[in-house]
Amino acid sequence: MPKTLVTLHVNGATYEVAVKPQDTLALALRDGCGLTGTKIGCDMGTCGCCTVLVEGRPVLSCLTLALEAEDWQIETIEGLSGAERLHPVQEAFATCGGSQCGYCTPGFVMTSVALLRDNAAPSRDEIKAAIAGNLCRCTGYAKIVDAVEKAGSDMRSADAGATPPTTGEKDDAGIQGRRQTAAAGR
Amino acid sequence: MTGRRFRFVGKEVARPDGPDKAAGRAEYIHDTVRPGMLHGMIKFSEHAHARIVSVDTSRAERVPGVRAVVTGFNTPKLRMGFLRDNVVLKRDKVRQFRDEVAAVAATDADAAAEAVDLIRVEYEPLPGVFSPDEAMAEGAPLVHEVAPDGSPRTDNALPLTFHHDSGDLEAGMRAAKYVDEGVYSTPLIQQSCMGTAGCIAEFDSAGNLTMRAKTQIPFLAQRDFTRALAAMGLPGRNVRVIVPVLGGGFGTGLDTHCYEYVAILLAWRSGRPVRVLYDRHDEFAHLSPRQSSRTRVVQGCDGEGRLTFRRLDVVQDNGAYAAWGATYPSVMLLPATSLYKVPNVRFDARLVYTNNPYCQAMRGYGNPEVTWPIESSLDHLAEQAGIDPYDLRRINCNEAGELTPMGLKITTCGLDACLEATAERLDWGAKRGKGKAVRRGVGMASLVHVGGGGKIYRSDGSGIILKVDDFGTVYVSYGGVEMGQGLHAVLRQGVAEALGVRPENVVVNRTDTSTCPWDVGTHASRGAFMALNATILAADKLRARLFTWAERVFPEEVRANLKKLRRKDPAFAPPPFDLESACKAENFDLADGWLFLTSAPDEPWLRVEFGRLLRAIHFRDRGTMFVEEAFYEPDTDLPDWEKGYGNMSANYAYGTQGAEVEVDVETGQVRIVRMVAAHDVGRVLNPTALKGQIYGALAQGLGYALHEEIHTDGGRILNPNFTDYKIATAPDMDFPIELVFVETDEPSGPFGAKGVGEPGLVPTAPAIANAIYDAIGIRIRDLPITPEKIVEALRARDAGEA
């Protein structure tokens, strides 16, 4: 199958990538641009791992043809952070335990960044609705919702010039005070 | 250890892998490209059961870019699997739709796919068996006509016996005033790692193999691959297994897989590195799911509610071959014999070959399959006896000091506290049994699981190496696998705690069999338990050696401190202190990266920074550096499976989960109102990682209870994708979960901790099922409890009443 050169604008840089007509944007980003932070989890639009932002909107790059993406402004997970500093959403995923095996994390982060750009202070229900199309098998989603909440609050504090709170985590686990000692002599 | 104060254990210490994962920088198997790497692809069977007549690869070989084509006819016969009943590339017949018949390696994935499509296989279809009943029927077709040793087989039973008989079952049955009996089943389900399976096989010029493998058992994989090389005519070559960042494990990495051997064959044939990567369809259709099972439970209690006997008969559909998952009954024995006190127990498990997809391990390893019938049945027993189900559980509650019928030594037991906490947080007394009108109900179920390793192999040990550089950074080489659970976070904490450094100065190396000491594998909830026990041993050795050196070096460094201080302040005079006689090894401590004397911990001039001390010890005449290793083998038994007896773990983790549900009797929809998860964790090591383990497992347990099921028809998987196979989504988890961690300070546990990786999904399904029963009086005995089943059962009941 002959390949076509396509110009992709990703994270402010321009890439010329040779793609087949059926190649997805996810594949072009990973294999063509070397941006492997975008993950392919199902390749059929069911898991959200491959979410990137196109003109600021979350898009499933596994359901998008690379040829369509010519001249679009695309943001991937690599574009969020600088060399030393993570984006507040990335920071929150890392510190809240929103990332376990981490494979789904880039997709969740991109979806959450788009949400927080639209809605700086989403409720937990709004967060859950926004990430409904992203699957995670490790976390049970609780820590992911915590992370998005914390990121939102950190970003609002930063905008207001205030110091962000050091932790947004709720103490949702009661550690039983009773400490039982081992049965001796058995 | 009670009341011991910890610097880092129990505190929030961030996962070291968190930032790179959040930044998209973590390198999974999907992201690695090796020079000259080819793409391998497999031609799978088109029949559930058929004789292979011929395989024609001639057209595939002519596809541009193809560098190797392998079949069972042009490669050595490689046997694999727990019973070595699986040959990597099939020659005689296929026994399931996912059987590997041929494979191709090509310069790009499209060429490989095209070539695979062009392989023509001629089959002679055979009748198949698609359930244990069919497989065990008189005259059923044999999945395997001969055993791996060449002896003829007469039926489809696996040659594995799991039996347990303790006390006097008949006497126990006579003593029972109330008896409940039921048959419960569990479906085929998929582990559903978000990162699909894959590997890269690569040979050097001398025929040594490097495998980058998505595995939980790097060292058993090394052994398996070494055997394969010998069969390929490459005896004595080295195998190195490197574990990339894992996109989830959940048991899928407990075996080596056909696709890995295929990659090895293709790499050897082509002389190039070969990557085989599964996509989501492959992951469902060509990787091994969790076994389906059927269990008959009978148990009884006396008039006071004391259990007098329990009998379990399990039948497990193993599919076409045996993986490690065929040993599920080894773990089923735990709840069978040791979940609540029950004196007379009989357990039998029968494992059957069928032409369904062959199955493997998944989180919980047989435990959920059997806890589900036991805990469901207990509610019915309670009902018969007129006892509150919560009270029945407390009457029979396990306790520390018990020697259970299976020979488990219960060293610590938080079950009573877990039950109590669950009842309290569910508001059990007020809510239970009140549901019928509003269709709301509450239910609970408990669990017991291995908490201190699980001995099902000759060694259940783990080694560790701590290597310290000139700057006080500690590098940890550990053979276990971080697969998302947070092992590296707790290793960081554990090393910092045990050695006396800061967590940020601990670096956990990539797991690699060439640099890490042996470990049996990351399963049985053993990762943190083993890693930190080994850490403590190694750290103690390192400290002892360091403190001996400090006897000589510390006074020199203190004199240097004083010199520096006097340079700043010529008037400085230290308080009188006999440095020489204080500097004995036993008087030193290392904490937070500073060495000091325990008699004077707060004198700034009497403290030496770890890195400086290390350099002073290194760069001197006949200096030294510090690398310490330790191997920890828990004091446990490899059980006798035919007797079902042996203390297989150093401790046992108990727990209880509770659910409040609301059932819509028109649609059959179950809404979880809230859940409580109370677990005896021994000691909380890392609160965030621990909560993640429980939340995540509970979400998997919820899927098991309500919506996860692989449907098959004639051995073919009908729903190999996330559209038709539903795992829990964020909106599905839209209910509060209260976590309660009971700290029992387990003596065998590092810092008192028990294993927690699996328990979180074990009692979830029966807890929810019991709540549904409390709400609407309907008992569904086959998972998942779908709305259809509920509506059907309600209609059947209404029809019966009318």
Side-chain angles (χ1 to χ4, degrees), chain B residues 76 148-149 204 311 351 362 376 455-456 467 522 607 763 766:
Chain B
D149 64 3
D204 69 9
R311 181 171 179 173
L351 312 169
M362 186 177 165
S376 301
K455 193 159 187 171
I456 54 171
K467 168 185 165 307
T522 306
R607 297 166 72 81

Side-chain angles (χ1 to χ4, degrees), chain B residues 250-308:
Chain B
F250 311 125
T252 54
L254 245 63
D255 287 89
T256 48
H257 296 274
C258 278
Y259 74 80
E260 293 171 323
Y261 297 91
V262 165
I264 292 171
L265 288 168
L266 288 169
W268 182 239
R269 180 59 62 90
S270 65
R272 305 263 291 263
V274 173
R275 178 167 82 183
V276 174
L277 214 53
Y278 272 12
D279 63 15
R280 184 58 58 189
H281 176 271
D282 286 323
E283 189 88 356
F284 272 101
H286 306 134
L287 200 72
S288 299
R290 171 178 219 136
Q291 283 86 346
S292 63
S293 70
R294 193 179 62 209
T295 301
R296 179 172 160 268
V297 58
V298 195
Q299 55 189 349
C301 66
D302 64 17
E304 276 74 54
R306 284 188 298 263
L307 292 171
T308 61

Side-chain angles (χ1 to χ4, degrees), chain A residues 3 19 35 38 48 53 59-60 69 77 93 96 98-99 106 115 137 144 157 159 165 174 180:
Chain A
K3 290 188 173 182
V19 298
L35 297 170
T38 298
L53 303 187
V59 160
L60 295 171
I77 189 79
F93 269 76
C96 292
S99 180
L115 167 70
R137 190 61 157 170
I144 291 177
S157 310
D159 284 349
Q180 300 174 337

Side-chain angles (χ1 to χ4, degrees), chain A residues 1 3 20 22-23 27 30-31 35-49 76-87 89-106 108-110 124-125 127-146 167 169-184 186, chain B residues 2-3 12 14-15 17-28 30-31 108 110-111 189-196 245-248 250 275 279-281 362-363 400-402 410-417 420-421 425 482-485 683-684 687-689 691-693 695-697 699-700 708 720-723 725 727-731 733-735 737-745 747:
Chain A
M1 188 81 66
K3 290 188 173 182
K20 294 172 189 161
Q22 73 273 25
D23 284 353
L27 197 70
R30 290 177 52 82
D31 290 359
L35 297 170
T36 53
T38 298
K39 301 301 177 197
I40 299 175
C42 69
D43 221 12
M44 58 183 289
T46 57
C47 74
C49 287
T76 69
I77 189 79
E78 290 91 346
L80 294 181
S81 48
E84 285 174 32
R85 217 184 156 77
L86 294 179
H87 185 279
V89 174
Q90 293 172 315
E91 189 74 50
F93 269 76
T95 53
C96 292
S99 180
Q100 286 190 211
C101 91
Y103 197 83
C104 68
T105 307
F108 272 99
V109 168
M110 297 314 287
R124 287 182 78 87
D125 281 345
I127 295 170
K128 283 183 186 172
I131 60 171
N134 290 74
L135 295 181
C136 169
R137 190 61 157 170
C138 293
T139 63
Y141 305 97
K143 297 284 168 195
I144 291 177
V145 178
D146 288 351
T167 172
E169 199 186 331
K170 291 195 188 70
D171 187 23
D172 47 1
I175 295 171
Q176 291 280 94
R178 113 174 40 189
R179 289 197 155 78
Q180 300 174 337
T181 43
R186 272 171 281 229
Chain B
T2 303
E12 294 292 1
R15 303 172 61 107
D17 50 347
D20 274 354
K21 284 176 172 175
R25 291 193 189 113
E27 186 181 347
Y28 299 83
H30 320 71
D31 307 326
D108 68 279
D110 288 346
I189 68 163
Q190 230 281 330
Q191 296 83 352
S192 304
C193 297
M194 294 315 297
T196 50
V245 177
L246 254 62
F250 311 125
R275 178 167 82 183
D279 63 15
R280 184 58 58 189
H281 176 271
M362 186 177 165
R363 201 176 197 174
E402 243 185 280
I410 308 302
T411 47
T412 52
C413 179
L415 180 58
D416 198 41
E420 211 178 310
R425 291 175 191 232
E482 167 66 79
M483 48 196 166
Q485 79 277 45
R683 163 95 55 213
V684 176
T688 296
K691 289 176 210 166
Q693 283 288 66
Y695 284 137
Q700 293 180 355
E708 285 187 38
N721 55 65
F722 285 136
T723 310
Y725 182 93
I727 65 170
T729 64
M733 300 304 292
D734 197 16
F735 52 86
I737 302 170
E738 282 191 67
L739 302 183
V740 180
F741 298 131
V742 176
E743 294 196 306
T744 48
D745 195 10

Side-chain angles (χ1 to χ4, degrees), chain A residues 140-163:
Chain A
Y141 305 97
K143 297 284 168 195
I144 291 177
V145 178
D146 288 351
V148 182
E149 226 180 10
K150 173 174 158 51
S153 127
D154 289 353
M155 288 162 76
R156 291 193 303 277
S157 310
D159 284 349
T163 322

Side-chain angles (χ1 to χ4, degrees), chain B residues 81-83 160 162 217 220 223-224 251 253-256 291 316 318 321-330 358-361 365 455-458 520 523 638 641:
Chain B
F82 181 70
L83 295 173
L160 293 171
F162 293 94
I217 46 146
L220 299 192
R223 178 206 61 174
D224 286 357
L254 245 63
D255 287 89
T256 48
Q291 283 86 346
Q316 183 172 305
N318 220 66
Y321 305 100
W324 268 96
T327 65
Y328 269 18
S330 61
Y358 93 83
C359 298
Q360 65 174 349
Y365 210 87
K455 193 159 187 171
I456 54 171
Y457 191 68
R458 288 174 290 169
V520 73
H523 56 74
L638 183 62
W641 301 122

Side-chain angles (χ1 to χ4, degrees), chain B residues 426-450:
Chain B
L426 273 184
D427 202 5
W428 182 264
K431 287 195 169 151
R432 196 198 151 262
K434 313 289 191 295
K436 307 290 185 290
V438 292
R439 286 113 184 196
R440 253 195 197 208
V442 288
M444 63 166 69
S446 302
L447 86 128
V448 57
H449 200 68
V450 290

